[in-house]
Amino acid sequence: PKSFVPITGIIALALAIGYTFVVYERIPFATANLRTALSGIRSNLGLLGVTFCFQAIALGVSISYAFAGVGLCDAILFGDLKISYWGQILAYTGVGLAYYWTYQVLCHVVQATVAGVIGSWWFQTDVDRTPCSEELTASFLRSTLFSFGSICFGSLLVGFVQILRQFAEPLRPNRDESVLMCLQECIVCFQEIIVSCVDGLADCFNPWAFTYVGLYGYGFLDAGRNATELFRKRGWSMIVTDDLIPNVLFMVSLVIGGVTGCFAVLIEVLDEYRFVSIEQSTLTAFLMGLTIGLILSSVLFGLISSAVNAVIVCFAGSPVEFQNSHSELSDEMRVAWREVWPGSMDITDMKISMESGGTRLAF
């Protein structure tokens, strides 16, 4: 209906305004991180070329899997492919899982490549670089050749482990309450075992591991453990869960996906072209357009979120070097972090002050 687009637009605007009020206090923190990340990207614009290439690959992959999914559906419903109900579920799940894994690999290769370039820029003053600089070439080769297996391994499991952790979080027992009954004590013990196992998996399989892979070339499990340990030592375990920038980028991707879905519906309606041979083909066309638009925009915006992740990891590991090479950005980040997360900069400020005084301390 004609009222669908304005109604959804008004709802989206209302949600965006509401979300702005919710996260308003954290905006300076996100702004400082984003400004530093964009400065690192501008220092080597070849990252844009790499991202556009992977976006083109994602488009080709999306079209291929769309044909595969539609062909499988037509073969089951109208062709000679006769399989049971559970066989159909397994076939559709296999196609969806393969598409998801491919998409994750593309995103995380970009993340690792960006991390390597940001890591090189972190320790250097601003200099003119060609789009195909040595840092970009080395980082790209490491991500697509030497560390490609680690990226594929992590891309398959990280998403599932993060979802599992969300489901396990409500089971986390509250030890503040006294436990009097033996049965309740057993239940609490069982909950602790489950949560402990999930936390152990999440320590290794977390999104920060891809940044560590791009920066240092570790294997995936070692990268995940090192990233978790770094944030734990800095006392930033809560800080790194701030997802303001990823959430905003995801909302923009949803808008782009919705526009792409509407465009797919227009093609089907105006050109009388049917994407599939089943009922409710208009809904199917919209969902296909939504998925493709969401995937392509996510790969593109992954450049920004990857740079922000690399900035946070480098800021945790090497704040003094950043102060020496990019003092203005370092000062801005430390002011914003102190404002939003009081006490988070105590160790960093001490290290920088001792460095400025000519004395080094080992932490």
Side-chain angles (χ1 to χ4, degrees):
K2 295 181 179 179
S3 60
F4 176 76
V5 174
I7 290 176
T8 54
I10 293 174
I11 294 175
L13 177 61
L15 292 176
I17 294 175
Y19 185 71
T20 301
F21 281 106
V22 171
V23 302
Y24 183 78
E25 295 181 352
R26 307 203 317 263
I27 290 179
F29 167 77
T31 301
N33 295 338
L34 183 60
R35 182 166 181 256
T36 302
L38 294 179
S39 298
I41 293 174
R42 283 196 298 267
S43 71
N44 201 322
L45 294 178
L47 289 172
L48 291 173
V50 172
T51 305
F52 287 143
C53 288
F54 278 90
Q55 191 179 32
I57 296 174
L59 175 60
V61 169
S62 299
I63 294 175
S64 299
Y65 276 100
F67 276 110
V70 171
L72 176 63
C73 180
D74 287 343
I76 292 175
L77 296 179
F78 308 106
D80 298 330
L81 185 58
K82 305 297 182 182
I83 55 178
S84 64
Y85 173 78
W86 290 109
Q88 296 177 25
I89 297 297
L90 184 61
Y92 289 134
T93 302
V95 173
L97 180 60
Y99 181 47
Y100 166 80
W101 191 10
T102 305
Y103 157 68
Q104 289 292 308
V105 169
L106 294 177
C107 289
H108 291 142
V109 167
V110 173
Q111 180 177 349
T113 303
V114 172
V117 174
I118 296 297
S120 299
W121 166 81
W122 191 264
F123 299 93
Q124 302 173 2
T125 56
D126 292 327
V127 296
D128 294 331
R129 294 183 177 87
T130 60
C132 296
S133 62
E134 294 182 1
E135 295 86 354
L136 176 60
T137 303
S139 181
F140 179 75
L141 290 178
R142 182 168 58 246
S143 301
T144 55
L145 292 178
F146 306 113
S147 298
F148 189 69
S150 297
I151 293 175
C152 292
F153 173 62
S155 298
L156 179 62
L157 298 175
V158 163
F160 297 106
V161 172
Q162 296 303 307
I163 293 175
L164 185 63
R165 189 174 193 179
Q166 294 299 321
F167 280 106
E169 194 64 28
L171 297 176
R172 192 177 299 277
N174 185 7
R175 278 297 184 180
D176 295 336
E177 301 178 356
S178 60
V179 178
L180 301 178
M181 299 179 61
C182 179
L183 178 59
Q184 187 176 359
E185 178 68 26
C186 293
I187 293 175
V188 170
C189 181
F190 182 68
Q191 289 176 328
E192 288 182 342
I193 292 174
I194 295 177
V195 172
S196 176
C197 293
V198 174
D199 286 344
L201 288 175
D203 286 346
C204 297
F205 294 94
N206 60 78
W208 299 98
F210 298 104
T211 300
Y212 242 79
V213 169
L215 285 170
Y216 306 112
Y218 289 142
F220 186 81
L221 295 180
D222 291 335
R225 281 190 289 264
N226 289 334
T228 302
E229 185 64 22
L230 174 65
F231 294 139
R232 187 175 291 129
K233 286 182 177 179
R234 290 289 179 266
W236 292 5
S237 297
M238 181 62 67
I239 297 177
V240 297
T241 62
D242 185 280
D243 52 2
L244 175 56
I245 293 177
N247 284 347
V248 171
L249 295 176
F250 178 70
M251 287 190 290
V252 176
S253 298
L254 279 179
V255 173
I256 295 175
V259 172
T260 308
C262 293
F263 184 71
V265 172
L266 286 177
I267 293 178
E268 178 165 333
V269 173
L270 297 180
D271 294 345
E272 297 182 354
Y273 178 83
R274 294 177 61 88
F275 286 91
V276 291
S277 303
I278 60 177
E279 297 180 358
Q280 299 181 342
S281 58
T282 301
L283 176 60
T284 304
F286 176 79
L287 292 178
M288 291 173 60
L290 173 67
T291 302
I292 293 176
L294 182 62
I295 294 299
L296 296 185
S297 57
S298 297
V299 174
L300 179 62
F301 292 142
L303 170 65
I304 300 176
S305 59
S306 300
V308 172
N309 288 349
V311 164
I312 293 175
V313 171
C314 291
F315 195 47
S318 306
V320 175
E321 291 79 359
F322 186 51
Q323 177 68 27
N324 294 334
S325 57
H326 308 280
S327 58
E328 181 181 349
L329 293 173
S330 176
D331 292 339
E332 180 181 348
M333 285 188 63
R334 287 191 290 127
V335 169
W337 282 54
R338 286 193 212 100
E339 178 183 348
V340 179
W341 302 98
S344 62
M345 289 289 99
D346 292 347
I347 295 180
T348 300
D349 291 341
M350 184 181 300
K351 294 177 69 174
I352 292 177
S353 63
M354 299 305 289
E355 176 72 16
S356 301
T359 306
R360 295 180 178 272
L361 287 179
F363 287 89

